[in-house]
């Protein structure tokens, strides 16, 4: 046995580390740490992650082991590590060995914003990558969006067509360099380049000249399509009202807010009010769009986010964004490069075709994007991120399940498509894919499944889908030929929230949602479920009313208002001198009455989202909507302006299953309308009433069942006012509340819940 | 005894049955041989291949703007034959009547059948009548079977669509489904909405005369609407299909009622429509020929067969997107969450 003479014994340890540990500078980090501590041994990539053998004194090995936990490279994420003592061997120095074999457990890193080191170099005239838009290192840059296959190395990325020049090669081969084995590195001599195209695809400038002209065009109010990391953005100067208006007209997007990119954090503070946590999120490697309150003198054009006190804001994350903005623009509108409901363009020929007629010019480059990925969108709730859309920067990061599942595929829902693949206790949720009814999005959905299964090397043994028979995702699942588990929509919402919070056993789920296919064939959405992964009871629900016209009712909130008023007023509801009824002629009134009376294309729904629609229509906030959730969003914005208190009436009936009846609420609202009460106060009281009903119902269910853990899920929990009211109300009752932090409460999180439920049935 | 109503005894096979046949049914459908003579019709064999099909009709209401269950029972079976390129020749008729059904209504239904058959130039050659107790059927159910002849040179079937084919429809979609629903639910939808129920065999003859072997597929988009039928053909022929929403003719009144009902006319039933898949070089000629026929005045090219994933149907929408078209499991269910 070796010894060093002063009594400090030499020991040797072997580590096996899994997680996101490849392609993120993990081996150079291990190499540097070991060398600094004078340890000997080696490190290598293996299919399961990284294997290390390291030898030295007990003390230095302890220091090394602490570094493995606390000083990880920024993009690394360790999901499991194993250590064992092994006999020391005679050896000298520390080496990085070629990759070994073994069982696979690879995780792919998400795309990351440019790091501080690269940013410094980008603007350093002495650096050889000065103003080079594709600067990156092991700690930053594109990953998920450029990987075509595994194992992750350059030939299996979209950088395959760019052989390293001698200078880049030297950095790539030097374990002491921060670009050691950084697959996407490049420089002006060997890497991709920018080009500026006009709308007929003629190249009009290249490289720095392309950038300079792009900046001039933006100054002149032109609309530019800018190729970024996961797709194309449409960019205009956010402070130029004419340019923003033109973009709105061309994008056929009448009212939905545009996201804005601020030049830097200091500028961002002038646009929106930010707290520390929001600033940390904005500046983190994930670089999401954070929804924050506009400052009183926010300089962006009002048309960027009309009828809305909030703004979706992000900071530059790709080098090209910094180059476009620094010293030139305080804020650019950077909205996804698509036409209305189409998915964001990411392939060059496709972008040129589809964005023709919207963009005046195209700032493109020749590094292909392999996987489309939108910007992630979130806001803070109770100091934690609450996702509206989870995509770039987060996907395909795994959520850890509280149990081990067989490899499976969960296909999600329909409108906010996202899929989930599991391996062991890791659930890999894909990026937001979008509305699967759109054919190109459906293609993207199928591609994402193939690609994600490929790079994660997961061969699903079963598949989970929604109970809805006609969702494109359900059809795909049924065609797969694998054993199929159909999961009720709101059960999946509940399970998603449980899974990301690591919960097992039984909980109470308050699921406030748009619409989902119910276990009884009606359409659910205002649900109180009791259960766990294994199953659920419907312990309570909103009183069902007809969803007259199906999906048309979602686009036309007046229908829900009339459905509620019809309950108290009968046919008189149609003759009210009110915008919910005034637009109907006698024929339409007759047909609509028959629909309500006889259930003609009017399935019953307990939807909470539709309850908000009804109130929004009754307060004449919205009779029709042009984007998903618009009525509720504007109703909330109105309520936030109120200085009000109080609630309206509602009833809770039933015993075995509680039914919350909001008929009295609508009578109160109608009376208030007649009395000329301020709409904002009514909107506020409406929120307070729904929250109060939720808390009272949950408390009664908690009393009956003895359960005290409440999970909140469903798209309605994107509503901050309602969420706060429900949260604080439950907290006051001494209940434990679990909310979403890792996946969206909307249908973007459904696949995780489906995976948890299907996986639990066959857990190991 | 009430002479105005059909009684159980009218289906007994006894004297009352014979009376009903001789007094009402046979005179109305005068192609059928008088009762009790023979057990089957003897027919001369036609040239070419035989086409043989059957269909049952249970529509509610039995009288609706644009037709009755009687004409529908003739048109449905005639059209099924015509969609194979067959010339329809003979029909059989099975009647299942609910006890208490009125003789007058029965006569109306049978007269309508006879007229429809005459117009389509087919003969009703055999039949059967049963009466079932009240509640065991709803007024009247009719089953028709049909025989037609197909020339040996004709190869029109659902697996025959080829990339490049143009898809032609002979007029507006959704009329029948909305007319029947309005009748059933008592909706006041005005007078502009009538079932399109019609026999398509003469229109088919005109198409075949114009297109010959360049006509690849014919199908009548009945239940499930044109969306379902086109998806069926995409799967059967293993081809991709692109539709253009703006090119699909829809009657204004139907569109208005669909919009208040929240129904997509593409999924609403038709009874006098056909979809013709025609090689591109013949498409314009076929449309022109169809426009000369009273049932094809609004003929239009609504899409084409494309290379690409077999079985996929995409629709380019009027707002500039592309929607996936799939068959529905049942009725149109809300899917937006
Ligand atoms: Fe949902
Ligand atoms: Mg048939
Ligand atoms: Zn970097
Ligand atoms: Zn280079």
């Amino acid at each position: 046995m070796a010894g060093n003479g002063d009594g400090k014994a030499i020991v040797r340890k072997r580590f096996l580390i899994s997680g996101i540990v490849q392609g993120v500078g993990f081996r150079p980090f291990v190499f540097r740490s070991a060398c600094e501590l004078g340890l000997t041994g080696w490190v290598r990539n293996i299919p399961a992650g990284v294997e290390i053998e390291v030898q030295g004194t007990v003390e230095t090995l302890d220091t090394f082991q602490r570094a493995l936990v606390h000083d990880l490279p920024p993009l690394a994420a360790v999901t499991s590590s194993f250590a064992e003592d092994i006999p020391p061997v005679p050896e000298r120095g520390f080496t990085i060995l070629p990759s070994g074999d073994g069982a696979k457990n690879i995780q792919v890193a998400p795309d990351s914003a440019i790091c501080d080191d690269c940013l410094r170099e980008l603007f350093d005239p002495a650096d050889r990558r000065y103003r080079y838009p594709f600067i990156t290192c092991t700690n930053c840059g594109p990953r998920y969006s450029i990987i075509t296959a595994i194992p992750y190395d350059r030939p299996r990325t979209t950088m395959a067509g760019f052989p390293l020049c001698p200078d880049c090669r030297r950095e790539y081969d030097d374990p002491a360099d921060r670009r050691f084995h950084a697959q996407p590195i490049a420089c002006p001599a060997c890497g991709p380049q920018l080009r500026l195209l006009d709308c007929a695809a003629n190249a009009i400038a290249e490289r720095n000249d392309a950038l300079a002209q792009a900046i001039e065009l933006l100054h002149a109010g032109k609309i530019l399509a800018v190729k970024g990391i996961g797709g194309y953005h449409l960019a205009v100067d956010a402070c130029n009202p004419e340019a923003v208006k033109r973009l709105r007209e061309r994008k056929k997007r009448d009212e939905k807010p545009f996201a804005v990119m601020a030049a830097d954090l200091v500028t961002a503070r002038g646009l929106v009010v930010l707290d520390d946590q929001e600033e940390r999120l904005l500046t983190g490697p994930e670089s999401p769009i954070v929804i924050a309150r506009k400052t009183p003198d926010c300089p962006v054009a009002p048309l960027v986010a009309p009828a809305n006190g909030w703004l979706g804001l992000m900071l530059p994350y790709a080098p090209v964004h910094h180059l476009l903005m620094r010293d030139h623009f305080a804020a650019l509108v950077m909205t996804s490069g698509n036409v209305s409901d189409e998915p964001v363009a990411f392939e060059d020929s496709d972008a040129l075709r589809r964005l023709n007629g919207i963009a005046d010019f195209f700032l493109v480059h020749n590094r292909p994007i392999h996987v489309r990925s939108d910007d992630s969108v979130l806001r803070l709730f109770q100091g934690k991120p609450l996702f509206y859309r989870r995509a770039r920067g987060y996907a395909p990061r795994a959520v850890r399940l509280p149990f081990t599942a067989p490899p499976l595929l969960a296909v999600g829902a329909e409108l906010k498509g996202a899929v989930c693949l599991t391996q062991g206790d890791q659930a890999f949720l894909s990026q937001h894919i979008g509305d699967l009814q759109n054919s190109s999005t459906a293609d993207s959905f199928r591609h994402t499944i193939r690609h994600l299964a490929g790079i994660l090397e997961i061969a699903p043994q079963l598949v989970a889908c929604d109970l809805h028979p006609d969702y494109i995702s359900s059809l795909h699942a049924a065609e797969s030929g694998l054993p199929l588990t159909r999961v009720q929509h709101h059960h999946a919402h509940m399970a998603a929230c449980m899974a990301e919070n690591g919960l097992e056993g039984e909980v109470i789920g308050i699921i406030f949602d748009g619409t989902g296919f119910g276990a009884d064939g009606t359409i659910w959405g205002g649900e109180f479920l009791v259960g766990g992964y294994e199953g659920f009871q419907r312990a309570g629900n909103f009183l069902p009313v007809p969803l007259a016209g199906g999906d048309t009712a979602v686009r036309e909130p007046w229908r829900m208002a009339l459905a509620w008023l019809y309950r108290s007023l009968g046919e008189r509801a149609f003759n009210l001198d009110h915008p919910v009824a005034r637009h109907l002629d006698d024929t339409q009134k007759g047909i609509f009455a028959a629909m309500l009376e006889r259930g003609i294309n009017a399935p019953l729904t307990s939807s909470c989202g539709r309850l908000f629609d009804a109130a929004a229509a009754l307060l004449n906030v919205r009779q029709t909507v042009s984007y998903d959730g618009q009525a509720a969003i504007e109703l909330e914005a109105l309520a936030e302006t109120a200085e009000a208190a109080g609630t309206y009436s509602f009833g809770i009936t039933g015993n075995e299953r509680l039914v919350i009846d909001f008929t009295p609420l609508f009578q109160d609202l109608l009376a208030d309308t007649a009395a000329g009460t301020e709409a904002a106060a009514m909107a506020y009281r409406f929120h307070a009433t729904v929250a109060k009903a939720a808390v009272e119902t949950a408390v009664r269910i908690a009393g009956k069942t003895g359960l005290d853990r409440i999970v909140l899920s469903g798209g309605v929990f994107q509503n901050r006012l309602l969420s706060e009211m429900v949260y604080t109300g439950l907290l006051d009752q001494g209940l434990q509340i679990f909310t979403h932090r890792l996946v969206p409460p909307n249908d973007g999180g459904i696949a995780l819940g489906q995976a948890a439920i299907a996986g639990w049935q066959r857990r190991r | 005894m009430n002479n105005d109503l059909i009684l159980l005894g009218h289906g007994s096979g006894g004297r009352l049955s014979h009376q009903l046949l001789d007094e009402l049914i046979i005179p109305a459908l005068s192609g059928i041989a008088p009762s009790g003579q023979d057990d089957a019709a003897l027919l001369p064999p036609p040239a070419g291949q035989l086409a043989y099909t059957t269909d049952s009709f249970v529509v509610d209401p039995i009288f609706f703007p644009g037709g009755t269950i009687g004409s529908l029972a003739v048109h449905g079976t005639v059209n099924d034959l015509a969609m194979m390129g067959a010339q329809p020749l003979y029909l059989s008729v099975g009647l299942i009547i609910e006890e208490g059904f009125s003789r007058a209504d029965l006569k109306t239904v049978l007269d309508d059948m006879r007229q429809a058959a005459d117009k389509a130039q087919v003969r009703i050659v055999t039949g059967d009548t049963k009466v079932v107790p009240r509640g065991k059927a709803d007024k009247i159910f009719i089953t028709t079977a049909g025989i037609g002849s197909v020339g040996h040179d004709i190869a029109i079937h659902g697996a025959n669509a080829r990339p490049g084919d143009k898809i032609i429809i002979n007029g507006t979609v959704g009329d029948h489904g909305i007319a029947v629903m309005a009748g059933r639910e008592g909706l006041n939808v005005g007078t502009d909405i009538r079932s399109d129920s019609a026999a398509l065999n003469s229109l088919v003859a005109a198409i075949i005369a114009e297109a010959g072997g360049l006509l690849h597929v014919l199908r009548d988009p009945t239940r499930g609407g044109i969306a379902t039928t086109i998806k069926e053909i995409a799967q059967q022929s293993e081809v991709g299909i692109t539709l253009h929403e703006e090119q699909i003719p829809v009657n204004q009144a139907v569109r208005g009622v669909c919009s208040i009902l929240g129904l997509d006319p593409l999924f609403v039933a038709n009874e006098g429509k056909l979809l013709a898949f025609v090689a591109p070089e013949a498409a314009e000629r076929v449309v022109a020929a169809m426009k000369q026929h009273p049932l094809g005045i609004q003929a239009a090219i609504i899409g084409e067969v494309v290379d690409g994933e077999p079985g996929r149907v995409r629709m380019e929408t009027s707002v500039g997107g592309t929607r996936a078209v799939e068959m529905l499991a049942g009725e149109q269910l809300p899917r937006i969450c």
Side-chain angles (χ1 to χ4, degrees):
Chain A
M1 175 142 182
N4 68 353
D6 58 7
K8 287 189 176 171
I10 294 294
V11 291
R12 185 178 185 87
K13 275 193 166 174
R14 176 169 169 267
F15 296 91
L16 280 177
I17 296 172
S18 298
I20 302 177
V21 290
Q22 295 191 5
V24 293
F26 200 86
R27 288 171 306 158
F29 152 74
V30 169
F31 177 84
R32 276 194 304 276
S33 309
C35 292
E36 275 167 26
L37 293 166
L39 296 165
T40 63
W42 50 263
V43 59
R44 63 173 183 172
N45 280 345
I46 54 170
V50 166
E51 182 180 15
I52 307 166
E53 284 193 15
V54 66
Q55 178 168 322
T57 63
V58 175
E59 211 169 287
T60 48
L61 232 70
D62 280 352
T63 313
F64 175 78
Q65 208 162 345
R66 271 195 302 278
L68 275 187
V69 178
H70 298 293
D71 304 333
L72 291 178
L75 300 189
V78 170
T79 51
S80 77
S81 75
F82 162 85
E84 62 178 347
D85 291 320
I86 55 173
V89 297
E91 77 183 339
R92 265 204 202 139
F94 195 91
T95 46
I96 296 180
L97 297 180
S99 299
D101 312 318
K104 292 187 168 110
N105 185 8
I106 304 292
Q107 299 189 18
V108 173
D111 300 314
S112 161
I114 182 172
C115 71
D116 290 345
D117 292 331
C118 287
L119 189 58
R120 211 169 299 122
E121 289 179 358
L122 182 65
F123 289 104
D124 175 3
D127 194 274
R128 70 187 191 90
R129 293 191 179 86
Y130 176 57
R131 297 186 68 78
Y132 179 60
F134 304 92
I135 186 169
T136 144
C137 71
T138 40
N139 295 334
C140 74
R143 293 289 186 280
Y144 180 53
S145 62
I146 61 164
I147 295 174
T148 55
I150 56 145
Y152 172 56
D153 53 23
R154 196 173 177 97
R156 280 174 285 262
T157 70
T158 63
M159 289 297 287
F162 301 97
L164 293 169
C165 71
D167 286 337
C168 288
R169 168 59 67 185
R170 212 169 301 121
E171 295 166 329
Y172 184 89
D173 287 335
D174 177 3
D177 195 284
R178 70 183 172 85
R179 295 197 167 87
F180 174 72
H181 280 212
Q183 307 304 345
I185 62 165
C187 75
C190 66
Q193 296 293 350
L194 289 181
R195 278 203 305 170
L196 184 68
L197 310 178
D198 65 16
C199 55
N202 303 309
I204 52 179
E206 306 231 330
R207 305 193 176 207
N208 274 332
D209 191 30
L211 202 57
Q213 289 199 36
I215 290 166
E216 266 177 48
L217 290 165
L218 284 169
H219 272 305
K222 298 293 182 196
I223 300 171
L224 253 71
V226 178
K227 186 176 176 183
I229 301 295
Y232 277 76
H233 281 120
L234 288 162
V236 291
D237 182 351
C239 303
N240 179 338
E242 285 302 309
V244 175
K245 183 159 172 265
R246 205 157 40 240
L247 177 58
R248 247 188 212 293
E249 286 163 1
R250 290 197 198 161
K251 231 191 141 184
K252 295 182 186 162
R253 183 157 159 174
D254 295 342
E255 286 140 337
K256 194 169 181 178
F258 287 141
V260 161
M261 184 178 276
D264 50 42
L265 189 56
V266 176
T267 314
R269 289 179 186 134
L271 306 180
V272 291
V273 183
L274 294 170
D275 68 17
D276 288 356
Q277 176 64 4
E278 287 165 330
E279 294 193 354
R280 260 199 302 282
L281 284 166
L282 275 176
T283 54
E286 296 88 356
S287 187
I289 294 171
V290 175
I291 299 174
R293 202 179 284 278
K294 284 182 198 164
T295 56
D297 47 1
C298 177
V300 308
L303 261 187
V304 170
N308 198 325
W310 300 73
L311 191 64
L313 186 106
M314 61 185 147
L315 292 178
Y317 56 85
V320 69
H321 301 149
H322 286 278
L323 293 167
L324 274 176
M325 297 195 73
R326 187 176 281 198
D327 303 327
H328 298 291
F329 300 97
L332 291 177
V333 165
M334 287 291 253
T335 185
S336 34
N338 57 6
V339 194
S340 40
D341 291 336
E342 291 274 300
V344 62
F346 74 111
E347 288 164 322
D348 302 331
S349 55
D350 182 55
L352 278 161
R353 186 175 55 76
R354 280 168 47 204
L355 303 181
N356 196 342
I358 302 181
D360 298 309
F361 294 91
F362 292 78
L363 184 61
V364 305
H365 59 72
N366 54 341
R367 181 179 70 200
I369 297 169
H370 187 67
V371 172
R372 177 197 333 254
S373 213
D374 293 82
D375 294 317
S376 293
V377 183
L378 53 79
R379 69 171 171 88
L380 274 196
F381 176 65
Q382 299 291 334
K384 291 171 199 150
L386 180 83
F387 283 90
Y388 286 36
R389 182 165 76 199
R390 180 185 176 278
R392 179 189 48 76
Y394 296 92
R397 208 180 273 168
V399 174
R400 188 169 196 163
L401 299 173
F403 54 88
T404 293
L408 66 85
L409 165 68
V411 294
E414 173 130 311
L415 208 57
K416 293 184 170 67
V419 301
C420 185
L421 283 153
T422 66
Q423 178 88 281
D425 63 355
Q426 305 289 311
F428 300 91
L429 186 64
S430 77
Q431 75 279 20
H432 159 92
I433 299 168
D435 175 5
L436 302 191
Q437 280 227 49
N438 181 293
S439 305
S440 335
T441 312
D443 293 342
S444 185
F445 162 82
R446 288 182 280 267
H447 174 252
T448 302
I449 292 173
R450 272 197 309 276
H451 180 64
L452 205 55
I455 60 171
L456 296 170
E457 295 212 306
I458 295 176
Q461 292 170 7
L462 48 146
V463 58
C465 71
D466 198 275
L467 214 52
H468 197 301
D470 296 326
Y471 279 175
I472 302 288
S473 56
S474 304
L475 296 175
H476 180 89
E479 282 166 16
S480 72
L482 294 170
L484 181 61
T485 304
R486 293 188 187 270
V487 179
Q488 199 281 323
H489 190 85
H490 304 100
H491 187 204
H493 272 304
M494 176 168 92
C497 193
M498 289 178 69
E500 69 161 78
N501 283 290
L503 303 182
E504 290 185 88
E506 293 217 311
V507 301
I508 299 171
I510 303 182
I511 317 300
F512 283 177
D513 203 28
T515 56
F517 199 71
D520 61 357
T522 70
I523 308 301
W524 295 5
E527 308 303 314
F528 297 80
L529 307 183
V530 168
Y533 306 118
E534 209 156 311
F536 70 96
Q537 297 278 327
R538 197 182 187 201
N541 60 270
F542 291 179
L543 180 87
V545 291
L547 181 71
D551 282 340
T552 307
V554 183
R555 290 184 284 267
E556 300 179 357
W558 61 265
R559 290 169 182 262
M560 290 312 299
L562 276 186
W564 277 106
L565 294 179
Y566 186 75
R567 286 188 57 79
S568 0
L569 302 177
E571 305 247 345
R572 277 191 299 137
F574 306 128
N575 297 321
L576 287 175
D577 184 24
H578 188 284
V580 298
R582 214 182 281 148
H583 60 102
L584 294 172
D585 64 28
D586 286 345
T587 305
Q588 291 170 326
K589 283 177 187 172
I591 295 174
F592 197 75
M595 291 174 74
L596 292 178
E597 197 56 49
R598 264 165 285 152
I600 305 166
N601 199 31
L604 290 177
T605 185
S606 54
S607 167
C608 183
R610 300 294 78 80
L611 185 79
F612 273 76
D613 286 352
L618 197 56
L619 300 189
N620 201 18
V621 170
R622 275 278 140 204
Q623 300 306 330
T624 60
V625 298
S626 65
Y627 66 89
D628 182 33
Q630 186 180 14
I633 289 167
E634 294 182 6
L635 186 70
E636 180 192 359
L638 179 65
E640 281 190 318
T641 65
E643 288 173 37
T647 54
Y648 294 118
S649 351
F650 60 91
I652 301 180
T653 60
N655 185 21
E656 197 73 345
R657 175 153 59 85
L658 303 176
V659 176
I660 301 97
D661 183 358
F662 287 111
T663 315
L665 159 69
F666 284 92
Q667 288 163 343
D668 289 351
L669 279 174
L670 203 56
D672 258 3
T673 312
T677 308
E678 190 204 3
M682 292 163 65
Y684 181 90
R685 282 185 204 126
F686 168 79
H687 280 76
T689 309
V690 176
K692 187 179 173 202
V695 173
E696 270 188 44
T697 308
V699 165
R700 282 170 64 167
I701 294 169
K704 281 205 287 190
T705 58
L707 299 170
D708 69 343
R709 295 181 304 171
I710 315 270
V711 306
L712 305 182
S713 189
V716 175
F717 282 111
Q718 289 174 179
N719 182 313
R720 55 184 82 75
L721 183 60
L722 182 80
S723 309
E724 295 287 349
M725 286 170 164
V726 172
Y727 193 92
T728 50
L730 293 169
L731 210 59
D732 286 347
Q733 298 290 328
L735 296 164
Q736 294 185 66
I737 307 138
F738 298 88
T739 60
H740 285 283
R741 299 157 295 122
L742 302 177
V743 308
N746 60 41
D747 284 5
I750 282 279
L752 175 64
Q754 292 172 343
I757 289 165
W760 175 263
Q761 296 175 356
R762 304 243 313 247
R763 69 191 179 280
R764 290 166 182 168
Chain B
M1 242 195 240
N2 191 334
N3 278 330
D4 299 338
L5 300 181
I6 306 294
L7 307 172
L8 269 180
H10 286 122
S12 64
R15 194 164 44 78
L16 275 178
S17 295
H18 283 77
Q19 243 176 37
L20 182 70
L21 271 176
D22 293 339
E23 288 172 25
L24 206 158
I25 299 179
I26 292 173
L29 306 176
S30 65
I32 308 179
S35 64
Q37 287 194 345
D38 291 303
D39 286 331
L42 292 178
L43 307 166
Q49 307 173 77
L50 274 190
Y52 179 31
T53 187
T54 186
D55 215 334
S56 297
F57 299 83
V58 295
V59 65
D60 171 30
I62 58 171
F63 303 118
F64 47 85
T68 70
I69 193 171
S71 51
L72 196 64
V74 171
H75 295 151
T77 294
V78 164
N79 291 348
D80 281 351
L81 292 171
M83 293 309 123
M84 296 302 290
Q87 186 194 346
L89 299 171
Y90 310 112
L91 295 183
S92 72
V93 177
L95 303 173
I96 295 178
I97 301 170
E98 185 188 14
E99 176 192 9
F101 188 57
S102 90
R103 287 176 82 108
D105 283 351
L106 179 60
K107 180 150 180 4
T108 310
V109 167
L110 296 174
D111 286 346
D112 202 40
M113 275 193 106
R114 169 69 193 277
Q115 270 174 33
D118 286 351
K119 200 166 170 207
Q121 296 185 304
V122 288
R123 285 175 58 212
I124 297 172
V125 293
T126 183
D128 177 55
T129 304
K130 295 283 185 307
V131 180
V132 297
R134 244 177 241 282
K136 299 286 178 188
D138 184 14
K139 298 181 196 71
I140 181 168
F141 295 160
I142 303 179
T143 296
T144 51
I147 290 175
S149 74
V150 191
H152 280 296
D153 52 337
I154 289 179
I156 299 167
H157 53 86
N160 210 13
R162 300 166 201 181
D165 281 359
K166 296 290 180 190
I167 304 170
I168 305 169
I169 191 154
N170 60 318
T172 56
V173 303
D175 302 70
H176 175 77
I178 296 299
V180 167
M181 173 187 264
R184 181 172 61 242
E185 307 290 353
L187 305 180
N188 172 17
V189 296
T191 53
D192 294 341
I193 300 180
R194 296 169 61 77
S195 167
D196 60 348
S197 180
L200 294 165
N201 49 333
S202 72
L203 179 63
V204 169
I207 295 172
I208 292 175
E210 189 62 49
L214 297 177
L215 171 62
H216 297 149
V217 181
L218 280 175
R219 190 158 294 175
D220 53 342
T222 54
R223 283 181 302 173
I226 62 166
T228 304
T229 300
I230 286 173
K231 178 76 185 177
E232 258 167 38
I233 291 169
Q235 290 176 337
Q236 210 181 331
S237 290
E238 298 179 12
V239 293
I241 287 177
T242 301
L243 298 176
H244 310 285
E245 190 173 30
E246 275 180 341
Q247 311 299 322
I248 300 171
V250 184
N251 170 339
Q252 268 316 310
V254 169
R255 198 186 287 286
V257 172
C258 277
S259 104
I260 189 98
L261 287 170
L263 294 176
D264 184 343
L266 264 50
F267 287 90
V268 178
N270 310 282
E271 288 294 346
K273 290 293 149 7
L274 59 78
L275 292 161
F277 288 57
V278 178
E281 59 269 31
E284 290 300 340
R285 280 190 286 128
V286 169
V287 170
M290 284 166 79
K291 282 176 184 286
Q292 299 302 308
H293 192 283
L295 295 177
I297 293 164
Q298 294 192 70
I301 296 175
I302 60 168
E304 57 271 331
V305 179
V306 294
D307 281 317
E309 290 157 289
R312 288 243 176 279
V313 181
R314 293 155 202 267
M315 185 163 69
E316 294 180 354
T317 64
S318 28
V319 292
T322 313
R323 216 177 83 187
V325 178
E326 298 286 350
M327 279 181 214
L328 301 179
E331 54 206 298
Q332 298 181 30
L333 289 169
R335 38 208 303 166
I336 300 176
C337 178

